[in-house]
Amino acid sequence: MTRSTETLVARRARLLGPTYRLFYDRPVHLVRGEGVWLWDEEGTRYLDMYNNVPCVGHCHPRVVAALTQAASTLNTHTRYLHEAVLDLAETLLATMPGELGHVLFTSSGSEANDLALRVAMAATGGTGIIATRSAYHGNSQLTAGASPVLAPGVPPGPGVYAVPPPPAARDGIDVGEVFAAGVRAALGQMAQDGVKPAAIIVDDIFSSDGVFIAPRGFLGPAVEAVRAAGGVYIGDEVQPGHGRTGVMWGFQQHGVVPDLVTMGKPMGAGHPVGAMAARPALLEAFGRTSNYFATFGGNTVSSAVAKVVLDVIADEQLLANAEAQGAYLRAGIETLAQRHEPIGDVRGAGLFLGVAIVKDRRAREPDPAATAAIINGLRERGVLVGGATANVIKVRPPLPVRQDDLDIFLETFDATLSALPHR
Ligand code: PMP
C-alpha cells in the first residue's frame, strides 16, 4: 500500500468507524472515471468489469450535462408542479408492460423495497414475506429484515421466511419446480404459524445468492403459488434492471409481470435515484390509508438525470450491446474454462455473469481462497471485479463495454488463473 492509501484507510477508520468495508487486499483509491475506465491517484488505469451503477459508463457527458443543466436551473420536489418527474415517469413506464401503470420515486433501492413491502402489506392485509436465503434487499429495518444474507448479525424480521435459492441449471434439474417447492414449503409454514402471506420479493437475477437467471421462465411456478395464497410478487430490479441482462428488465427473462417493481443503482448512473412501479390496484389500497411523499424522491434534478439515462440506453442501443458483448464475454470465459479447472460454472445473462470457482469441477466444491486470490490478482493486473458469494465472481461491466475491452479482461483473467498456485 502506498503511504497516501495507508493514510486514507486510517482516516476512514477514524472518521467513519468500523462498519464500512473496502474491496481488495490492497484497497483502490480512485480519482477519476470515464466510460469503462477508472484511474487511481498514481495514474494507474483500471478496466471496470464490476460496476453496474454507472450503467451508461462513468461520467457520461450527456448525464453530466443533464445534471448540471437541471441543478443550475431549479431543484425542488414533487409537491410543486414540474414536467421533469412526469417526463421520467412516462419514459420509464413505457419500458414496462401495460399492467404497471404507476410509479413512485425514491432516492435508493432500499427505500424502493421498503415502500414495496409496505404497499404489498397494505394491499394484501398480510405480513408474511418470502425472500431467498442469501438475498439482499436493503438497509432499512424492514428490508434488512428481509435480507437473509445479513444473518446472523441482522436476524430475519417478523413474518420473513427464507427459502433456498434456485439451483444452478443442469441437465435433469427442473429449476422452476425445485425453487417453487421451497416457496410452497414456506407458504405451508406460514399457514401453520397463522401468518397471512403478503409478498415474495426476489432480486430477478438472484445476484447475492450466486447469480441465477436460467432457464427462462423458472420463476413462474413460485410466483403462481404465492399469488394463489393471496400474496404478490415484488420484482427487485436494482441489480438486473436498466438493460443489464440484454433486455430492459430482469423479469422479462422470467416471462412473469411483477405486481410491484423496484429500481435503484443504475437508474441515475451514480446519482441517487430509486423507484417503485406498481399495478394501480395495489396503490389504490395503499393510497386509502397513506399519503406518499419523499423529499428527494422525484426531485427535478434527479428526474432529469434518470430520464437522460433511459435516453442514453435507447440512443446508444445499450440493450443490444449488453446482449452481444455478454455473449462474447461468456463464450470467452467458457473457452478459458477448457484450460482452467477452477472455473466450475458460468451463469447469468447479458453483461451480468457469475463465475463459480471450485476446487474440483466434478465435486463442485466451492473454493473461496482461490476466488479471493483471483479477485485480488485481477485488481493487481488492472481489472476490477467483485464477489457475489464466497466462491462466485461477479462480472458486470458498464453497458457500453466493447469487444476490445473484453479481450483485455479475458487475457488478464487467463493470466490470473495461470498464476494461481498449483494444488
Ligand atoms: N436490492 C438489491 C438486489 C441490491 O443489490 C441492493 C443494493 N446492493 C438494494 C436492493 C439496496 O439498494 P441501495 O443500496 O440503493 O439502498
Side-chain angles (χ1 to χ4, degrees), residues 3 17 50 99 113 136 142 160 165 191 251 264-265 280 302 324 345 361 378-379:
R3 280 230 9 192
Y50 180 73
E99 293 93 321
N113 280 331
Y136 180 75
L142 192 53
V160 173
F251 63 75
K265 286 188 189 289
S302 300
D345 193 13
R361 207 174 279 169
L378 282 166
R379 175 255 181 264

Side-chain angles (χ1 to χ4, degrees), residues 107-111 113 136-139 203 207 236 238-239 264-265:
S107 311
S108 71
S110 299
E111 210 188 326
N113 280 331
Y136 180 75
H137 294 294
N139 58 23
D203 165 352
S207 47
D236 180 338
V238 169
Q239 292 280 347
K265 286 188 189 289

Side-chain angles (χ1 to χ4, degrees), residues 61-92:
R62 283 181 67 191
V63 175
V64 175
L67 172 67
T68 47
Q69 163 69 26
S72 58
T73 309
L74 175 74
N75 192 0
T76 187
H77 54 74
T78 51
R79 284 198 168 140
Y80 300 103
L81 286 170
H82 197 278
E83 289 89 352
V85 69
L86 304 178
D87 291 345
L88 169 61
E90 218 158 54
T91 310
L92 189 59

Side-chain angles (χ1 to χ4, degrees), residues 356-360 363-371 389-392 423:
I357 303 299
V358 294
K359 287 192 175 142
D360 165 341
R364 293 196 162 90
E365 191 189 335
D367 194 341
T371 309
T389 65
N391 86 311
V392 177
R423 285 152 303 148

Side-chain angles (χ1 to χ4, degrees), residues 35-38 47-58 239 241-245 266 318 321-322 325-326 329-330 333 349-354 383-386 393-403 405-406 409:
V36 295
W37 295 97
L38 291 160
L47 176 63
D48 186 357
M49 291 295 293
Y50 180 73
N51 285 293
N52 58 339
V53 172
C55 60
V56 294
H58 290 276
Q239 292 280 347
H242 283 76
R244 176 61 36 194
T245 71
L318 294 181
N321 195 63
Q325 301 305 340
L329 176 62
R330 188 185 191 119
I333 298 173
L351 284 171
F352 196 142
L353 297 183
V383 173
L384 303 183
V385 296
I393 296 173
K394 202 153 58 173
V395 186
R396 205 184 44 179
L399 301 179
V401 74
R402 297 182 326 201
Q403 196 166 311
D405 304 320
L406 297 179
F409 167 74

